[in-house]
């Protein structure tokens, strides 16, 4: 059983993990048997991190109750296990809470010459900054604090579960503080784990394992704020400096993906905490696709000490008139085929549960197989409902105020359940009529007769809706 260890560094890393989780909920094949997300972020109360962790909690609760139990299952909703590690998938860094940077490095105990050098290297605002909400766009601070991976107990314990065939992927931005500094340090410690860490049973496996990464270039700015240490006018300069460093000092990767967007969106300027909660962006979805691309790709390194890195960039097909709003049909064919049917099936499923106006208790599928009872349980009322709400919010945010909008769906269409995909109208019925929820009910009733009675009711519910929505796409809404 292969695992993909996915390190999400900083706020961008958190949001990319969230985008990937929605793809897995929709049934996109990861290319590994299990995902092991690991968050590297000192901002424990960060809004982006909190939302992603909550989503993972609900995803795991659904997946545990609906795991496959037979070759005849076709359901792909929530089928990829997402592991929960120690400390709720968080790699906790030591000595950063309620501590200033100068206290962390022990400035008061330094000899005068070292103090003078420290003062010449770091501005007053950086020296006295606290670190529990991150490094506030300062990679020179992050590179010092994050150089503790090898001695971090959580980090070392994580790889005691590493096996032959497992892979590692790192997600980070290059224009902030945590991501730009954390990525090269993390990679270096992974490749040197057998030399720098004690008690890691599988350190040699980690040192030669396939490792990929996506480096996210600037794709947003923040509003000017004299009270904030974050200044987005420095993002491009920081990214340029980091790229120069990576060119000469980054070793040990099998694949490196680049993505960014020159049509930057302006967000509120927040240094961290609950207010650090940016809208979802298409760049994060595209970065999640790089995770899948790496997990599915062949990586052959017969000489691990002389690795050849593959470099990839993400591109969108040209459109006329400088168009910035994209639907599924402005993506490349490969990406459209990968995500459009899956996300559409998931939205059809959630829309049915949320928007159906009739009495379900009169329907055969609802009364058969205890499926009606499932919809009254915590499985549906708490976990499915939470993922549905988060999914809707994610889609609305990507079409909202971003300069680069992703609008794959008509999100306010309730009367015609299949009229939801932007750029693709559903086929008319035999007599030219539109497709209604009554038609949806008839499809569900027919498919419910094919379900296995031996399965758990929760399994039958997802199997029913996956089979039905698949049939509907094939008959009425082909997306190829």
């Amino acid at each position: 059983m292969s695992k993909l260890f996915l390190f999400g560094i900083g706020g961008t890393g958190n949001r990319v993990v969230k985008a990937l989780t929605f793809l897995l909920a929709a049934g996109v094949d990861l290319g590994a048997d299990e995902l092991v997300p690991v968050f590297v972020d000192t901002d424990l109360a960060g809004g982006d991190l909190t939302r992603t962790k909550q989503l993972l909690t609900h995803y795991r609760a659904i997946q545990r109750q609906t795991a496959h139990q037979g070759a005849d299952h076709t359901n792909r909703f929530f089928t990829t296990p997402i592991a929960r590690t120690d400390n709720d998938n968080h790699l906790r860094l030591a000595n950063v809470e309620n501590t200033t940077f100068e206290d962390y490095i022990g400035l008061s105990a330094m000899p005068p010459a070292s103090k003078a050098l420290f003062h010449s290297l770091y501005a007053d605002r950086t020296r006295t900054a606290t670190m529990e909400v991150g490094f506030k766009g300062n990679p020179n601070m992050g590179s010092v604090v994050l150089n503790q991976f090898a001695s971090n107990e959580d980090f070392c314990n994580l790889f005691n579960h590493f096996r032959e065939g497992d892979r590692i992927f790192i997600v980070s931005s290059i224009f902030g503080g945590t991501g730009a500094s954390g990525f090269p340090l993390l990679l270096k410690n992974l490749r040197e784990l057998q030399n720098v860490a004690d008690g890691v049973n599988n350190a040699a496996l980690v040192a030669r394992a396939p490792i990929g990464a996506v480096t996210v270039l600037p794709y947003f700015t923040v509003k000017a704020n004299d009270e904030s240490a974050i200044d987005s006018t420095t993002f491009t300069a920081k990214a340029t400096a980091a790229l120069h460093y990576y060119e000469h000092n980054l070793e040990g990767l099998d694949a490196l993906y680049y993505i960014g967007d020159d049509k930057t969106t302006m967000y509120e300027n927040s240094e961290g905490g609950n207010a650090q909660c940016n809208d979802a962006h298409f760049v994060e979805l595209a970065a999640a696709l790089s995770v899948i691309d790496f997990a599915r790709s062949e990586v052959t390194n017969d000489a691990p000490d002389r690795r050849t890195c593959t470099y990839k960039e993400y591109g969108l097909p040209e459109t006329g008139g400088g168009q910035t709003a994209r639907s599924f049909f402005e993506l490349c064919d490969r990406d459209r085929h990968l995500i459009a049917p899956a996300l559409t099936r998931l939205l059809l499923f959630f829309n049915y549960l949320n928007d159906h106006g009739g009495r379900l208790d009169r329907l055969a599928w609802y009364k058969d197989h205890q499926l009606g009872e499932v919809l009254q349980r915590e499985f549906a009322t708490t976990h499915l409902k939470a993922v549905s709400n988060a999914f809707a919010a994610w889609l609305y945010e990507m079409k909202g105020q971003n300069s680069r909008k992703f609008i794959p769906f008509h999100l306010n269409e309730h009367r015609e359940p299949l009229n939801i995909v932007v750029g693709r109208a559903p086929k008319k019925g035999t007599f030219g009529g539109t497709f209604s929820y009554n038609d949806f009910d008839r499809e569900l009733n027919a498919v419910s007769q094919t379900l296995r009675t031996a399965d758990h009711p929760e399994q039958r519910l997802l199997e029913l809706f996956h089979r039905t929505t698949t049939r509907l796409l094939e008959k009425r809404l082909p997306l190829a």
Side-chain angles (χ1 to χ4, degrees), residues 173-184:
S173 71
I174 201 172
F175 56 95
T178 309
S181 56
F183 167 37

Side-chain angles (χ1 to χ4, degrees), residues 88-337:
D88 197 19
N89 297 84
H90 204 119
L91 188 62
R92 296 179 185 264
L93 300 172
N95 305 318
V96 296
E97 295 183 22
N98 302 315
T99 304
T100 63
F101 182 51
E102 62 182 18
D103 288 339
Y104 178 86
I105 58 95
L107 178 65
S108 61
M110 288 182 178
S114 297
K115 287 183 180 178
L117 177 61
F118 182 77
H119 279 269
S120 68
L121 292 174
Y122 295 95
D124 289 343
R125 175 178 276 184
T126 303
R127 293 196 303 270
T128 59
T130 57
M131 298 175 294
E132 65 267 19
V133 294
F135 305 123
K136 305 174 184 178
N138 291 295
N140 53 347
M141 181 196 302
S143 61
V144 174
V145 179
L146 290 171
N147 197 24
Q148 57 169 278
F149 287 119
S151 60
N152 185 287
E153 184 178 356
D154 289 347
F155 182 74
C156 295
N157 288 340
L158 179 69
F159 293 107
N160 286 325
H161 305 286
F162 200 87
R163 299 292 182 267
E164 189 75 50
D166 293 348
R167 296 188 179 196
I168 299 168
F169 198 88
I170 304 168
V171 180
S172 65
S173 71
I174 201 172
F175 56 95
T178 309
S181 56
F183 167 37
L185 286 169
L186 176 58
L187 176 62
K188 180 176 183 292
N189 278 273
L190 289 169
R191 288 301 183 210
E192 298 177 358
L193 191 62
Q194 58 188 338
N195 300 325
V196 298
D198 296 325
V200 181
N201 298 332
N202 303 306
L205 284 179
V206 175
R208 66 173 187 267
I211 300 180
V214 58
T215 291
V216 183
L217 299 163
Y219 67 103
F220 66 84
T221 59
V222 296
K223 295 178 180 179
N225 183 351
D226 292 338
E227 300 300 317
S228 173
I230 301 174
D231 179 5
S232 58
T233 64
T234 67
F235 283 1
T236 299
K238 288 176 181 176
T240 302
L243 286 171
H244 181 75
Y245 177 83
Y246 290 1
E247 179 184 5
H248 298 284
N249 298 280
L250 204 62
E251 297 180 354
L253 276 178
D254 295 285
L256 180 57
Y257 298 75
Y258 289 101
I259 188 169
D261 194 351
D262 57 354
K263 297 188 181 302
T264 53
T265 299
M266 182 172 288
Y267 295 138
E268 293 295 330
N269 191 327
S270 172
E271 292 187 348
N274 289 330
Q276 183 65 53
C277 196
N278 292 351
D279 281 354
H281 195 286
F282 175 75
V283 163
E284 295 146 9
L285 172 58
L289 292 174
S290 73
V291 180
I292 295 172
D293 183 81
F294 176 74
R296 291 179 168 195
S297 65
E298 278 216 29
V299 177
T300 303
N301 270 306
D302 297 328
D305 56 333
R306 298 192 302 276
R307 291 178 182 271
T308 300
C309 185
T310 300
Y311 297 92
K312 297 185 180 183
E313 293 180 305
Y314 189 87
L316 290 171
E318 292 287 346
T319 59
Q323 178 182 346
T324 59
R326 303 290 180 128
S327 70
F328 287 132
F329 300 97
E330 282 78 46
L331 303 182
C332 67
D333 289 345
R334 186 192 66 172
D335 286 350
R336 184 178 77 254
H337 295 157

Side-chain angles (χ1 to χ4, degrees), residues 418-433:
L418 288 184
N419 189 27
I420 61 171
V421 177
V422 172
R424 181 61 53 86
K427 294 179 180 180
K428 298 292 185 180
T430 304
F431 301 104

Side-chain angles (χ1 to χ4, degrees), residues 62 65-66 371 374 377 379 455-463:
I62 296 168
Q65 296 186 65
T66 57
L371 294 180
V374 173
R377 297 175 187 168
F379 174 82
D455 290 338
H456 296 302
E458 290 81 3
Q459 288 176 313
R460 291 197 291 269
L461 180 71
L462 295 198
E463 186 75 26

Side-chain angles (χ1 to χ4, degrees), residues 250-480:
L250 204 62
E251 297 180 354
L253 276 178
D254 295 285
L256 180 57
Y257 298 75
Y258 289 101
I259 188 169
D261 194 351
D262 57 354
K263 297 188 181 302
T264 53
T265 299
M266 182 172 288
Y267 295 138
E268 293 295 330
N269 191 327
S270 172
E271 292 187 348
N274 289 330
Q276 183 65 53
C277 196
N278 292 351
D279 281 354
H281 195 286
F282 175 75
V283 163
E284 295 146 9
L285 172 58
L289 292 174
S290 73
V291 180
I292 295 172
D293 183 81
F294 176 74
R296 291 179 168 195
S297 65
E298 278 216 29
V299 177
T300 303
N301 270 306
D302 297 328
D305 56 333
R306 298 192 302 276
R307 291 178 182 271
T308 300
C309 185
T310 300
Y311 297 92
K312 297 185 180 183
E313 293 180 305
Y314 189 87
L316 290 171
E318 292 287 346
T319 59
Q323 178 182 346
T324 59
R326 303 290 180 128
S327 70
F328 287 132
F329 300 97
E330 282 78 46
L331 303 182
C332 67
D333 289 345
R334 186 192 66 172
D335 286 350
R336 184 178 77 254
H337 295 157
L338 179 67
I339 70 173
L343 291 176
T344 303
R345 283 192 292 262
L346 186 66
L347 185 60
L348 285 171
F349 175 31
F350 287 152
N351 280 354
Y352 184 97
L353 296 183
N354 295 328
D355 298 338
H356 192 292
R359 285 186 57 185
L360 298 183
D361 58 2
R362 295 181 177 180
L363 301 176
W365 77 262
Y366 185 90
K367 293 184 287 186
D368 291 346
H369 305 298
Q370 300 176 289
L371 294 180
E373 296 177 21
V374 173
L375 293 180
Q376 311 306 317
R377 297 175 187 168
E378 184 182 39
F379 174 82
T381 59
T382 298
H383 302 304
L384 280 178
K385 186 68 173 178
V387 177
S388 173
N389 291 342
F391 184 55
W394 181 66
L395 292 171
Y396 273 109
E397 287 172 12
M398 285 195 291
K399 69 169 286 189
Q401 301 304 311
N402 292 331
S403 298
R404 176 84 62 189
K405 302 179 188 299
F406 184 53
I407 312 177
F409 298 116
H410 303 293
L411 294 176
N412 295 315
E413 179 58 54
H414 300 280
R415 292 171 302 169
E416 299 180 28
L418 288 184
N419 189 27
I420 61 171
V421 177
V422 172
R424 181 61 53 86
K427 294 179 180 180
K428 298 292 185 180
T430 304
F431 301 104
T434 59
F435 185 88
S436 68
Y437 273 114
N438 288 334
D439 298 310
F440 206 141
D441 289 332
R442 281 191 285 271
E443 294 285 349
L444 287 166
N445 288 338
V447 173
S448 71
Q449 304 306 310
T450 69
L451 300 181
R452 284 164 44 109
T453 57
D455 290 338
H456 296 302
E458 290 81 3
Q459 288 176 313
R460 291 197 291 269
L461 180 71
L462 295 198
E463 186 75 26
L464 170 65
F465 275 89
H466 193 275
R467 289 189 189 184
T468 302
T469 54
T470 298
R471 283 177 52 165
L472 292 178
L473 293 191
E474 292 172 350
K475 292 164 53 177
R476 305 290 294 268
L477 191 60
L479 298 176

